[in-house]
Amino acid sequence: DGGITQSPKYLFRKEGQNVTLSCEQNLNHDAMYWYRQDPGQGLRLIYYSQIVNDFQKGDIAEGYSVSREKKESFPLTVTSAQKNPTAFYLCASSISGDWDQPQHFGDGTRLSIL
Amino acid sequence: AQSVSQHNHHVILSEAASLELGCNYSYGGTVNLFWYVQYPGQHLQLLLKYFSGDPLVKGIKGFEAEFIKSKFSFNLRKPSVQWSDTAEYFCAVPRKTGANNLFFGTGTRLTVIP
């Protein structure tokens, strides 16, 4: 089955530690996205990538970094500079970066601070 | 940049009641609008979308939304809700015309009581 796989489902981070969230898709989609979901704030865009080797900052990119070396993979690193990393992180992809293509979402990773 | 706002944070209805969830958008030229739904334990999925033509858009599972330009609104409706409609509903708009870089509203949690 085609889809988006996010791992791990739950992740714990110690203070001052960087962690990387995995996002893999086998849909052959060009565009990929990372969102952060907090209660009462909906989804906020962290980074997005419309094509391999290219990515753009979203609304809340500070304290995060991404790479897009392969079409199917868009890992997100939460760095120690992100002061409030506890949240639910969602990865999405779409066929292209055009507005009329629906975004397909993964099941998410819940990150907590120890 | 375009944005949307959802003013209903939590709506509680009995089965068979009618539903209307509000979504207001900020004007920014050509308007494209989306409703996404997140059922408990499932990933976010597209419910319906509007890009042009008939302002009344039909989506999955009996949902519809009406684009009213004069009111800057794209409210989601369903004549008779079921317990299985319990979910969180997000309105979204592209940040800029033609792009799939979506701005999501804060979401409305719908609880349907059997």
Side-chain angles (χ1 to χ4, degrees):
Chain A
D1 285 340
I4 299 177
T5 302
Q6 289 187 242
S7 61
K9 194 168 182 176
Y10 299 95
L11 186 59
F12 298 92
R13 192 192 90 168
K14 293 181 181 177
E15 295 278 356
Q17 190 179 48
N18 292 358
V19 290
T20 298
L21 283 60
S22 170
C23 178
E24 303 278 328
Q25 53 100 358
N26 59 3
L27 300 167
N28 200 32
H29 286 176
D30 280 327
M32 296 187 74
Y33 314 82
W34 272 106
Y35 294 92
R36 171 179 170 143
Q37 187 175 15
D38 295 281
Q41 296 195 58
L43 278 71
R44 292 182 289 167
L45 183 68
I46 304 173
Y47 269 97
Y48 66 101
S49 167
Q50 294 196 304
I51 200 165
V52 176
N53 293 322
D54 181 65
F55 49 83
Q56 306 294 329
K57 291 182 180 180
D59 293 330
I60 53 166
E62 187 175 347
Y64 300 98
S65 65
V66 292
S67 62
R68 187 83 189 279
E69 297 175 1
K70 298 186 294 183
K71 188 175 185 178
E72 60 270 23
S73 178
F74 191 40
L76 173 75
T77 296
V78 184
T79 74
S80 57
Q82 171 49 241
K83 297 307 177 189
N84 185 23
T86 297
F88 190 56
Y89 291 86
L90 285 169
C91 179
S93 71
S94 58
I95 292 175
S96 71
D98 294 331
W99 69 269
D100 60 340
Q101 298 300 322
Q103 294 189 15
H104 299 258
F105 287 82
D107 290 334
T109 292
R110 190 166 297 279
L111 175 63
S112 301
I113 299 301
L114 291 177
Chain B
Q2 302 187 83
S3 66
V4 291
S5 59
Q6 294 178 250
H7 301 294
N8 309 113
H9 298 296
H10 190 189
V11 172
I12 302 173
L13 294 173
S14 298
E15 274 194 317
S18 64
L19 169 72
E20 182 160 4
L21 301 182
C23 172
N24 289 95
Y25 64 91
S26 65
Y27 180 76
T30 303
V31 180
N32 311 128
L33 292 153
F34 303 80
W35 275 99
Y36 278 79
V37 60
Q38 188 174 31
Y39 296 103
Q42 297 186 28
H43 52 260
L44 219 69
Q45 58 186 287
L46 181 67
L47 196 55
L48 49 78
K49 64 183 179 183
Y50 169 80
F51 47 97
S52 66
D54 189 344
L56 187 62
V57 180
K58 303 284 186 183
I60 60 173
K61 303 188 180 185
F63 285 91
E64 63 180 31
E66 186 173 12
F67 170 63
I68 303 179
K69 191 173 181 179
S70 61
K71 295 185 179 180
F72 298 95
S73 69
F74 188 56
N75 292 355
L76 182 70
R77 302 194 298 236
K78 186 169 183 179
S80 176
V81 294
Q82 301 171 312
W83 176 78
S84 58
D85 293 325
T86 295
E88 191 150 16
Y89 294 82
F90 295 91
C91 185
V93 65
R95 276 182 177 72
K96 55 184 180 180
T97 302
N100 202 354
N101 184 352
L102 295 179
F103 181 96
F104 283 84
T106 52
T108 298
R109 191 193 319 167
L110 171 66
T111 300
V112 179
I113 301 169

